[in-house]
Structures are given as structure tokens and as C-alpha cells.
Coordinates of all heavy atoms in Angstrom, one line a residue:
S157 N 24.8 16.6 16.0 CA 24.2 17.7 16.7 C 22.7 17.8 16.4 O 21.9 18.1 17.2 CB 24.8 19.1 16.4 OG 24.7 19.3 15.0
Y158 N 22.3 17.3 15.2 CA 20.9 17.3 14.8 C 20.1 16.1 15.4 O 18.9 16.2 15.7 CB 20.7 17.4 13.3 CG 21.0 18.7 12.7 CD1 22.2 18.9 11.9 CD2 20.1 19.8 12.9 CE1 22.5 20.2 11.4 CE2 20.4 21.0 12.3 CZ 21.6 21.2 11.6 OH 21.8 22.5 11.0
F159 N 20.7 15.0 15.3 CA 20.0 13.7 15.5 C 20.4 13.0 16.8 O 19.8 11.9 17.1 CB 20.3 12.8 14.4 CG 19.9 13.4 13.0 CD1 20.8 13.5 12.0 CD2 18.6 13.8 12.8 CE1 20.4 14.1 10.8 CE2 18.2 14.3 11.6 CZ 19.1 14.5 10.6
R160 N 21.2 13.6 17.7 CA 21.7 12.8 18.8 C 20.5 12.5 19.7 O 20.3 11.3 20.2 CB 22.7 13.6 19.6 CG 23.2 12.9 20.9 CD 24.3 13.7 21.6 NE 25.5 13.6 20.9 CZ 26.1 14.7 20.3 NH1 25.5 15.9 20.3 NH2 27.2 14.6 19.6
A161 N 19.6 13.4 20.0 CA 18.5 13.2 20.9 C 17.5 12.1 20.3 O 17.1 11.2 21.0 CB 17.7 14.5 21.2
D162 N 17.2 12.3 19.0 CA 16.3 11.3 18.4 C 17.0 9.9 18.4 O 16.3 8.9 18.6 CB 16.0 11.7 17.0 CG 15.1 13.0 16.9 OD1 14.4 13.2 17.9 OD2 15.1 13.7 15.9
A163 N 18.3 9.9 18.1 CA 19.0 8.6 18.0 C 18.9 7.9 19.4 O 18.7 6.6 19.5 CB 20.4 8.8 17.6
E164 N 19.1 8.6 20.4 CA 19.0 8.0 21.8 C 17.6 7.5 22.1 O 17.5 6.4 22.7 CB 19.5 9.0 22.8 CG 21.0 9.4 22.8 CD 21.3 10.4 23.8 OE1 20.4 10.9 24.6 OE2 22.5 10.7 23.9
T165 N 16.6 8.2 21.7 CA 15.2 7.8 21.9 C 14.9 6.5 21.2 O 14.4 5.6 21.7 CB 14.3 8.9 21.5 OG1 14.5 10.1 22.3 CG2 12.8 8.5 21.7
I166 N 15.3 6.5 19.9 CA 15.1 5.3 19.1 C 15.8 4.1 19.6 O 15.3 3.0 19.7 CB 15.5 5.6 17.6 CG1 14.6 6.6 17.0 CG2 15.5 4.3 16.8 CD1 15.0 7.1 15.6
W167 N 17.0 4.3 20.0 CA 17.8 3.2 20.6 C 17.2 2.6 21.8 O 17.1 1.4 22.0 CB 19.3 3.7 20.8 CG 20.2 2.6 21.3 CD1 20.4 2.1 22.6 CD2 21.1 1.8 20.4 NE1 21.3 1.1 22.6 CE2 21.7 0.9 21.3 CE3 21.3 1.8 19.1 CZ2 22.7 0.0 20.9 CZ3 22.3 0.9 18.6 CH2 22.9 0.0 19.5
N168 N 16.8 3.5 22.7 CA 16.2 3.1 24.0 C 14.9 2.4 23.8 O 14.6 1.4 24.5 CB 16.1 4.3 24.9 CG 17.4 4.9 25.4 OD1 18.4 4.1 25.4 ND2 17.4 6.2 25.7
E169 N 14.1 2.9 22.9 CA 12.8 2.3 22.7 C 13.0 0.9 22.0 O 12.2 0.0 22.3 CB 11.9 3.2 21.8 CG 11.4 4.4 22.5 CD 10.6 5.3 21.6 OE1 10.4 4.9 20.4 OE2 10.1 6.3 22.0
T170 N 13.9 0.8 21.2 CA 14.2 -0.5 20.6 C 14.8 -1.5 21.6 O 14.4 -2.7 21.6 CB 15.3 -0.4 19.4 OG1 14.8 0.5 18.5 CG2 15.5 -1.7 18.7
A171 N 15.6 -1.0 22.5 CA 16.2 -1.9 23.6 C 15.1 -2.4 24.5 O 15.1 -3.5 25.0 CB 17.2 -1.1 24.4
A172 N 14.0 -1.6 24.7 CA 12.9 -2.0 25.6 C 12.1 -3.1 25.0 O 11.4 -3.9 25.7 CB 12.0 -0.8 25.8
L173 N 12.2 -3.3 23.6 CA 11.4 -4.3 22.9 C 12.2 -5.7 22.9 O 11.7 -6.7 22.4 CB 11.1 -3.9 21.5 CG 10.1 -2.7 21.4 CD1 10.0 -2.2 20.0 CD2 8.8 -3.0 22.0
L174 N 13.5 -5.6 23.3 CA 14.3 -6.8 23.1 C 13.8 -8.1 23.8 O 13.8 -9.2 23.2 CB 15.7 -6.6 23.6 CG 16.6 -5.7 22.8 CD1 18.0 -5.6 23.3 CD2 16.7 -6.2 21.3
P175 N 13.2 -8.0 25.0 CA 12.7 -9.3 25.6 C 11.6 -9.9 24.7 O 11.6 -11.2 24.5 CB 12.0 -8.8 26.9 CG 12.9 -7.6 27.2 CD 13.1 -6.9 25.9
E176 N 10.7 -9.1 24.1 CA 9.7 -9.7 23.2 C 10.3 -10.3 21.9 O 9.9 -11.3 21.4 CB 8.7 -8.6 22.8 CG 7.9 -8.1 24.0 CD 6.9 -7.0 23.6 OE1 6.2 -7.2 22.5 OE2 6.8 -6.0 24.2
V177 N 11.3 -9.5 21.4 CA 12.0 -10.0 20.2 C 12.7 -11.3 20.4 O 12.7 -12.2 19.6 CB 13.0 -8.9 19.7 CG1 13.8 -9.4 18.5 CG2 12.2 -7.7 19.3
R178 N 13.4 -11.4 21.5 CA 14.2 -12.6 21.8 C 13.3 -13.8 22.0 O 13.8 -15.0 21.8 CB 15.1 -12.4 23.1 CG 16.2 -11.4 22.9 CD 17.1 -11.4 24.1 NE 18.1 -10.4 24.0 CZ 19.2 -10.4 23.2 NH1 19.4 -11.5 22.5 NH2 20.1 -9.4 23.2
A179 N 12.1 -13.6 22.3 CA 11.1 -14.7 22.5 C 10.7 -15.4 21.2 O 10.2 -16.5 21.2 CB 9.9 -14.3 23.3
L180 N 10.9 -14.6 20.1 CA 10.6 -15.1 18.8 C 11.6 -16.1 18.3 O 12.8 -16.0 18.5 CB 10.5 -14.0 17.8 CG 9.4 -12.9 18.1 CD1 9.5 -11.8 17.1 CD2 8.0 -13.5 18.1
P181 N 11.2 -17.2 17.6 CA 12.1 -18.2 17.1 C 12.8 -17.8 15.8 O 12.2 -18.0 14.7 CB 11.2 -19.5 16.9 CG 9.9 -18.9 16.6 CD 9.8 -17.6 17.3
F182 N 14.0 -17.2 15.9 CA 14.7 -16.9 14.6 C 16.2 -16.9 14.9 O 16.6 -16.8 16.1 CB 14.3 -15.5 14.1 CG 14.7 -14.3 15.0 CD1 16.0 -13.7 14.9 CD2 13.9 -14.0 16.1 CE1 16.3 -12.7 15.7 CE2 14.3 -12.9 17.0 CZ 15.5 -12.3 16.8
K183 N 17.0 -17.2 13.9 CA 18.4 -17.2 14.0 C 18.9 -15.8 14.3 O 18.7 -14.9 13.6 CB 19.1 -17.8 12.8 CG 20.6 -17.9 12.9 CD 21.2 -18.5 11.6 CE 22.7 -18.6 11.7 NZ 23.3 -19.2 10.5
G184 N 19.6 -15.7 15.5 CA 20.1 -14.4 15.9 C 19.4 -13.8 17.1 O 19.8 -12.8 17.6
N185 N 18.4 -14.6 17.6 CA 17.8 -14.0 18.8 C 18.7 -14.1 20.1 O 18.3 -13.6 21.1 CB 16.4 -14.7 19.1 CG 16.6 -16.2 19.3 OD1 17.7 -16.7 19.4 ND2 15.5 -16.9 19.5
D186 N 19.8 -14.7 19.9 CA 20.8 -14.8 21.0 C 21.9 -13.8 20.8 O 22.9 -13.8 21.6 CB 21.3 -16.2 21.2 CG 22.0 -16.7 19.9 OD1 21.8 -16.1 18.8 OD2 22.7 -17.7 20.0
Y187 N 21.8 -12.9 19.9 CA 22.9 -11.9 19.7 C 23.0 -11.0 20.9 O 22.0 -10.8 21.7 CB 22.5 -11.0 18.5 CG 22.7 -11.6 17.1 CD1 22.3 -10.9 16.0 CD2 23.4 -12.8 16.9 CE1 22.5 -11.5 14.7 CE2 23.6 -13.4 15.7 CZ 23.1 -12.7 14.6 OH 23.3 -13.3 13.3
G188 N 24.1 -10.4 21.1 CA 24.3 -9.4 22.1 C 23.3 -8.2 21.9 O 22.9 -8.0 20.7
D189 N 23.0 -7.4 22.9 CA 22.1 -6.3 22.8 C 22.4 -5.4 21.6 O 21.6 -5.0 20.8 CB 22.0 -5.5 24.1 CG 21.2 -6.3 25.2 OD1 20.7 -7.4 24.8 OD2 21.1 -5.8 26.3
A190 N 23.7 -4.9 21.6 CA 24.0 -3.9 20.6 C 23.9 -4.4 19.2 O 23.4 -3.7 18.3 CB 25.5 -3.4 20.9
R191 N 24.4 -5.7 19.0 CA 24.3 -6.3 17.7 C 22.9 -6.5 17.2 O 22.5 -6.2 16.1 CB 25.1 -7.6 17.7 CG 25.1 -8.3 16.3 CD 25.9 -9.6 16.4 NE 26.0 -10.2 15.0 CZ 26.5 -11.4 14.8 NH1 27.0 -12.1 15.8 NH2 26.5 -11.9 13.6
L192 N 22.0 -6.9 18.2 CA 20.6 -7.2 17.8 C 19.9 -5.9 17.5 O 19.1 -5.8 16.6 CB 19.9 -8.0 18.9 CG 18.5 -8.4 18.6 CD1 18.4 -9.2 17.3 CD2 18.0 -9.3 19.8
I193 N 20.1 -4.9 18.3 CA 19.5 -3.6 18.1 C 19.9 -3.0 16.8 O 19.0 -2.5 16.0 CB 19.8 -2.6 19.2 CG1 19.2 -3.0 20.6 CG2 19.4 -1.2 18.9 CD1 19.6 -2.2 21.8
T194 N 21.2 -3.1 16.5 CA 21.7 -2.6 15.2 C 21.0 -3.3 14.0 O 20.6 -2.7 13.0 CB 23.2 -2.7 15.1 OG1 23.8 -2.0 16.1 CG2 23.7 -2.2 13.7
A195 N 20.9 -4.6 14.1 CA 20.2 -5.4 13.1 C 18.7 -5.0 12.9 O 18.2 -4.9 11.8 CB 20.3 -6.9 13.4
L196 N 18.0 -4.8 14.0 CA 16.6 -4.5 14.0 C 16.4 -3.1 13.3 O 15.5 -2.9 12.5 CB 16.0 -4.5 15.4 CG 15.9 -5.9 16.1 CD1 15.5 -5.7 17.5 CD2 14.9 -6.7 15.3
L197 N 17.3 -2.2 13.7 CA 17.2 -0.8 13.1 C 17.5 -0.8 11.7 O 16.9 0.0 10.9 CB 18.1 0.2 13.9 CG 17.7 0.4 15.4 CD1 18.7 1.3 16.0 CD2 16.3 1.1 15.4
T198 N 18.5 -1.6 11.3 CA 18.8 -1.7 9.8 C 17.6 -2.3 9.0 O 17.3 -1.7 8.0 CB 20.0 -2.6 9.6 OG1 21.2 -2.1 10.3 CG2 20.4 -2.7 8.2
I199 N 17.0 -3.3 9.5 CA 15.8 -3.9 8.9 C 14.7 -2.9 8.8 O 14.0 -2.7 7.8 CB 15.4 -5.2 9.6 CG1 16.5 -6.3 9.5 CG2 14.0 -5.7 9.0 CD1 16.2 -7.5 10.4
A200 N 14.5 -2.2 9.9 CA 13.4 -1.1 9.9 C 13.7 0.0 8.9 O 12.8 0.4 8.2 CB 13.3 -0.6 11.3
S201 N 15.0 0.4 8.8 CA 15.3 1.4 7.9 C 15.1 1.0 6.4 O 14.5 1.7 5.6 CB 16.8 1.8 8.1 OG 17.2 2.7 7.1
R202 N 15.5 -0.3 6.1 CA 15.3 -0.8 4.8 C 13.8 -0.9 4.4 O 13.4 -0.5 3.3 CB 16.0 -2.1 4.6 CG 17.5 -2.0 4.7 CD 18.2 -3.4 4.6 NE 17.9 -4.0 3.3 CZ 18.3 -5.2 2.9 NH1 19.0 -6.0 3.8 NH2 18.1 -5.7 1.7

């Protein structure tokens, strides 16, 4: 109830960056959208 709106915003903004991210040469740039977004947000959090 506290973070639903913020979570949706963060998810959508990260999803909008996927084309640029996939253009980078790294293992995992071919992951599915959900898996890649989750990985990016985990790295950002750490």
C-alpha cells in the first residue's frame, strides 16, 4: 500500500531504458524483460 505507485514508476522507467541497455555488450543482454529489469534493479539497489 505504501510503495505500489513508486514501484510501478521505477519499473516502467527501467523498462524504457532496456533498448539502450541491450545494446551494450554484456552477458545477459538477451534476458527476457522481467528478468533483465529485476537484475538491473538489484544491481542499482546494491
